[in-house]
Each structure stands twice: as C-alpha cells, then as structure tokens.
Amino acid sequence: MADLENQAAGKRNIFMDRGEARNPVYDGTKKTGESNTMQDISCFQNRELSWLKFNERVLEEAESTQNPLCERLNFLSIFQSNLDEFFMVRVGSLHDRMLLKKEERENKTNMTAREQTDAVLEQVQRMNSRKDGVYKELMEAVAAEGVQLLTFASLDEAEETELGNYFSREIQPLLSTMVVGRKQPFPFLRNKDIYAVAVLSTKREKGKIAIIPCCNDVIPRLIPILSRPGCYMLAEEMILHFLPLVFRKYTITRKSLMRITRNADIDADRIYDEELNYRDHMAEVVKQRRKLCPVRLEISRELSDQIVTQMCKELGLKEAQVFSTAAPMDLSFLYEFQDMLRQKPELFYEKRIPQRSAMVRYDEPVIPQVLEHDIMLSYPYESITPFLNMLNEAAMDPYVVSIKMTLYRLAKNSKVVEALVAAAENDKQVDVLVELKARFDEENNIEWSRRLEDAGCHVIYGLDGLKVHSKLCLITRRVETAISADAAGTKANAWAETGQGHFQYITQIGTGNYNEKTSRLYTDLSLITANEEIGREAGEVFAALFMGETVEHMDHLLVAPRCLQNRVIEMIDEEIREKREGREAYIGVKINSLTDKQIIDKLIEASEAGVRVDMIIRGINCIRSGLEGKTDNIHIISIVGRYLEHSRIYIFGTGAREKLYISSADFMTRNTLRRVEVAVPIYDPVLRERLHEMFRVMLRDNMKARDQLPDGSYLRRSAGEGEEELNAQEYFTAMAYAKAEMANILG
C-alpha cells in the first residue's frame, strides 16, 4: 500500500467538518507553562492509547524471528482480532460519549472523548501500515514452505479461465447483488462481514455504487488452484476480480473490498425491558448489538474521494475513520494455513501438555486430599483435571449437600456444566450464577443456563448494574462424625458443629474462568482449600448474590465492589507508614490492567514515600513508572509470550506481616467498583513460597518481558553479556514437567 501515513495525513480531521476548533490532545506530559491549578498529569497515560501499545507488543511477537513461523501467523491474527474488538467496544464507547451535550474529560490525562478518538485513529493508521508489512513478510515465508496465497497477477491465462469457469458455476449463483439507487436504498452491512463494492457507469449514468456480500457459509474462504498444489485464492478476491461477469451491462470504473466494524458497547441494564424475562432480554440485546452504528470502514483498494465521501455519508462516518489495508481484512484463514503445515513441527512451538500437579495423588479422590492440605493449580503448566475430578466427586458424594458456583465464560463442550448437571440429577442442591452479560459470550451462556435449569439447578443471571466476574465455587458436605485433627490434619477438621452433624466447606477460588480450553492457553491460578473461615465467607458471598446484594465486609476475602478497592488502598497506606517510620516496605502486583485512579494515586504516593513497587502488567497501564521524584520507585514490566498472562497476584508487606492474595480482579475501576470480584489470601506456607518464586522468576524474564520507560513506551529485554536467558513461561513449563516426573518416580 503506497504511503499510507501520507494518505492518512491528507484526510480531513474527523472533527473539523463541524467547524469546531480542535482542542490540543493531551498525551500525559505536562505542558510548559501549564497552570499549577490543573491536575499534574505527568504520571499518567491514557487508557485507550495504552491498550494500543499493548496490541503493538502483540504485533512485535508476529515480527519476531525468535518465534516459529506459524506462531507468528497466530500473533498476527490475534493482533487483528484484538483491534476489531477494540473498535467495537472502546471506540464504540468513545463514540457514545461524544454524543453527550457536555463532554467530560477522562480523569487521568484530561482528554475528552473527541481527543481520545482523534489520537486513537491516528495511532491505528500508523499501526495498520506496520501490520501490512508484517503480513507481506509472513506470506513470503509461508510460500517458501509450500503454501501460497495467490493474486490474479500471478496466474497465467489458462488458470484465470479455469477460475472464471469455477466462479460462474459455483459462486455467482450464490451472490446477492445490491445496486444503490432511488428504488434500492443503501443496504445494511453486517458487522465485520466482507463486501465487494463497485462503481458502475453506463452512457446515461455514472458513479452508481453496487455492493455484493462476500461472506457465505456455502462458499469456502480459500479456493484451491487445482493446477498448483498448495496454492489458494481468497473467495472475496475472486468475487472482486470477476465483478464484470456480474455487471455485464455496466462499466466498472473503481472497485474495492470493504468491511465495517460496528459499535458493540451496549448497556444491557440501561435498556432493560421489564416485559421480558432477563434471559430473553439478553437475547434481544445481542440482536440489537448487531445493528449499532459503524465506527470504522476498511477498504482494500483506492476509491475516489467522491465515493469515499458518499460511503461515509451513508454509514455515518468521518473520513478519518476510513482505513486502507493491503492485508486481508479477516485473517482467520491463517489458522487453515497452520493446519496445512502441521507436518512441519519446526514451524510451531514445541508441543506442551498440561502436567499432573505434584500436589495431587491422582490415584485417590481429590476431596480427602483437600481436607489434608490446600492445593493450588497453575494453568496451563498444570492440568485442570483435579478440579474437574473434584466436581465430579462432589456430584456423586453422598455427604455433599450443595454446590454453589459462579460462571462467566465456559468452554463449548463444558465438563464443568456436565458435572453440575450430574450433581443436580443426584439430588444435590446446585445454585449457579450464570453471568449473561459476559461480553460476546452472551449467547453461549444463555444456552448453558437453559441446560442447567432443565437439569434442576437453581440459576440466576447476575445483579442489576454489576457483572459477576468472580471465579468462586463452594462445596458443602455434611458429615455425621468429626474426624480428629490427628487423623486427617488440621484443615480436615475445619467445619462447624450443628444439631444435624458437622459441615465441611471445600472452596475453590481462581483467577480465570472455568473453561477447559483457555486453561491450556491462559496462565491462571486456582486455590482449593478446606479452610473453614474462607468457606464461611464464600457462603456469605453466595448468600448475598442470591439475594441480589453484595457483601459489605469480609475478614479474609477481598470482595468487590464494596470491600476490595478500599482494602487494597488500606494495605498500600500501611506500606507507606512502614516506610516513613524507617521499616522495610514492599508492594508486588501482577495484573492484566491498571486504570483505577484511586489506586494509581496511592501507588504514586507510595513511590514518593520510598516504597519499592514491582508490577507485572500485561496490557493497559495508565501510570508512567520511573519519573524522578514521583514514580521512580515503581518498576513495571509487561510479558507477552506463548500463553496469555491472566493470573492476578497481590503482595503487600514483608516478613511476618506480609499479605499475599490471588484474585479475579484487575486494578480497573470496572473491576473494583462495577463488578463482583473475589481475592483470596494464601495462608499455606508451601503455596506462599511457590507464589513468591513465580513472581521472582517473572520479574527476571529477559526474553518475553518489556520494561516500561518513563515516557510510557516499552523496551524489550534481552540477556546481557554472560547472563543466562530466561523465558518465564518456558521455565514454569520445565518445572511442571520435572515435578510431574518426580511424582511419578516416587509413586
């Protein structure tokens, strides 16, 4: 694509059409001569621009020759799908805020929604050019391996004739043509579908627009070139090329492929329809989302300014929202290319299988082992199987009286749901909160909720105004005779005596979803404990949820939205006091995102007091570390590697007063104040040391980690001279294999 950045620079500003003076874009740097009364924004980064930096780190993995070729294809596809969702959700949200009568500035860098949108579109134009270059490089490398995506320019006459015959026979009868005119209004374009657009002319008329959908369940995306094994053509490119066969009475003056991205940021609670039950309402919300306004238009060929202006007018877009792309608009076909190359293992990461946890004896039931000691599973290095086995045991256990669980995202063929269904069919009381507002998983969760209800489970769908994002499971057993602590261990005796017997609580609290597929792809932690106090507090959380409420106070658990953010701030305050009184202080945090300004302000205060703060933040990060006198005691890294870093760890203090948690919550306002989240303290000394070791290893990663610099950019680490290379994810994989092998040897 010729000089995309110059092309973008030549377009009118998105806001100048209205004759509005454009406010200066705040990039987080305090301006010279800026009023002292204005908030000092030098320590902050804008959320949306920070997310784009994260996605750029994903693109770096597609560029990196340290990764095998097919894994680079995977990262490129992830980059694109990430960007699609970003436009649907975040740019969609900015669009909605621009419609308000008075635009408020966001609370970190003082940017309005208009300024953020302008900055985002400018940044994405630059990233698109970089993505196109990566795509070209990777396609050349794939072609060298025997799989090639062809263009018509590379075909000879016989091959083009062959494809023309195929088009006329197999594709053209399935096409639906739409010519925009007085009797045919501009058609509705589906979100992320690819269309061929042609500018038609006759002797009488010029500049008519014709549109043909290229997405069809019957038409394969990859069309094989029979005369060249391993060579393919994209269906949309074939349709675009043979448009003259469709519009025989017209002259085609311009043509292009195009795709729109629609706003998907719809507030299910705000538009609640009381005439529908909540599940039917959410099904209606999903339908409405498909019809929301466009926020981006992508085109593959250059169209005239007049046609672009007309398209923008029809779609309600500004020209700055139009993006030219040389790479295909949907890169999902790359997964098919990967499948074609499976016989070449050197093009992929070495195969890894989640290992058996050394904490679990696999030839024995899990529940008695949990009564002996806490168990922590680390995905994807260790298998989710012990947790699934425990659920299945609970479904059959005559002593289990109830299972309570929160479900946010589930696998397509969920073994978790199968276990809950079996429990209900065995007359256990099964109470399940299925969060129907899990974005883009609503339809899946609606179907699972129906199946659970049909099996006899008690199902609710979340709370008004709050998403339930916690990963919480509580199994309650009633045992007639208590086992002595000597016989079963201290925690085996953790139940309350009642008139009907003794109750045992098995509580599982995790950082990630109950999803067997993502447990092989995301790094997550899962604690299973028989601790009585934790079990009782988990029971209180469920009791509140099923009353449509949230808990106000917990002694052990941190539970958003009412007792997590405040407790985190209290623990940071404690570290500040300790440091100011001359004692050792420390804060260590591993999260996916940091946007909560109250927590950020407190972290800056901790840094100014001299508290050492280590943070591992995969994605969005709204603080700048390393600024002299402000954040120079804060050290931030981001790890982007083979697995998606998803676990959350909080560490406050040192020595005997140290508090250590795993959590489902990031330090984002949506998590701390607008969701139900649970963080659980780790009390077992063995597990505490294990978490410490994990945290230390990640901080030392010098292959997949990037250090944040004071200007907010990230610099990829590399091993120094004489320094051993350390990839934290590979290290944890090797340790899991070694521990599993040792456990097998020891029987």
Side-chain angles (χ1 to χ4, degrees), residues 182-434:
R182 286 177 297 176
K183 295 183 180 180
Q184 175 63 55
F186 196 87
F188 175 81
L189 304 181
R190 295 173 56 178
N191 183 42
K192 298 196 298 181
D193 275 9
I194 297 172
Y195 295 85
V197 57
V199 182
L200 308 178
S201 295
T202 64
K203 291 181 179 179
R204 295 183 178 182
E205 288 186 283
K206 292 185 178 181
K208 294 184 72 173
I209 295 177
I211 297 173
I212 296 180
C214 297
C215 297
N216 188 308
D217 291 338
V218 180
I219 301 173
R221 181 86 188 283
L222 290 175
I223 308 296
I225 311 299
L226 298 181
S227 58
R228 297 198 204 181
C231 294
Y232 300 85
M233 178 80 64
L234 287 174
E236 62 263 28
E237 289 290 346
M238 181 180 289
I239 293 170
L240 186 70
H241 183 80
F242 288 116
L243 285 181
L245 299 180
V246 179
F247 301 106
R248 294 180 183 273
K249 297 181 180 180
Y250 294 89
T251 299
I252 298 175
T253 59
R254 294 285 181 97
K255 62 182 180 179
S256 176
L257 297 172
M258 70 174 182
R259 186 178 77 145
I260 65 164
T261 311
R262 291 187 177 274
N263 184 355
D265 187 49
I266 186 168
D267 189 333
D269 289 319
R270 182 171 53 81
I271 62 170
Y272 181 57
D273 187 345
E274 294 183 356
E275 295 184 2
L276 298 173
N277 69 45
Y278 195 71
R279 187 166 59 196
D280 291 340
H281 163 70
M282 286 305 302
E284 188 63 30
V285 166
V286 173
K287 292 179 183 177
Q288 288 188 39
R289 176 190 289 152
R290 296 170 183 152
K291 302 174 184 177
L292 295 181
C293 67
V295 292
R296 176 178 63 165
L297 170 63
E298 298 170 277
I299 57 175
S300 68
R301 309 290 196 280
E302 189 171 328
L303 297 172
S304 69
D305 291 344
Q306 179 183 353
I307 294 300
V308 170
T309 299
Q310 183 179 347
M311 297 282 288
C312 287
K313 181 180 178 181
E314 296 286 358
L315 294 168
L317 294 169
K318 300 292 183 181
E319 289 183 31
Q321 293 169 279
V322 180
F323 296 86
S324 296
T325 177
M329 298 166 188
D330 177 1
L331 295 178
S332 59
F333 71 90
L334 294 179
Y335 295 115
E336 294 184 61
F337 276 14
Q338 287 175 313
D339 290 340
M340 296 173 193
L341 295 169
R342 291 287 172 192
Q343 75 279 9
K344 297 185 176 185
E346 68 276 10
L347 302 183
F348 297 85
Y349 287 134
E350 184 178 347
K351 186 175 181 180
R352 303 296 194 190
I353 299 173
Q355 294 297 292
R356 290 187 169 194
S357 169
M359 300 193 74
V360 179
R361 300 183 297 275
Y362 281 73
D363 57 346
E364 300 176 20
V366 177
I367 289 177
Q369 297 181 62
V370 179
L371 295 174
E372 294 176 5
H373 58 80
D374 290 356
I375 292 173
M376 187 172 70
L377 303 175
S378 176
Y379 311 141
Y381 315 110
E382 296 173 340
S383 171
I384 194 175
T385 299
F387 172 71
L388 297 175
N389 288 346
M390 184 184 72
L391 273 187
N392 286 309
E393 288 172 27
M396 305 300 293
D397 188 341
Y399 294 107
V400 169
V401 294
S402 70
I403 302 174
K404 296 178 172 64
M405 202 165 183
T406 58
L407 300 179
Y408 193 75
R409 299 190 193 275
L410 295 163
K412 186 175 181 180
N413 299 305
S414 175
K415 296 180 181 178
V416 170
V417 170
E418 290 178 6
L420 295 175
V421 166
E425 291 174 347
N426 284 328
D427 296 325
K428 313 297 182 188
Q429 176 65 38
V430 180
D431 300 319
V432 185
L433 188 149
V434 180

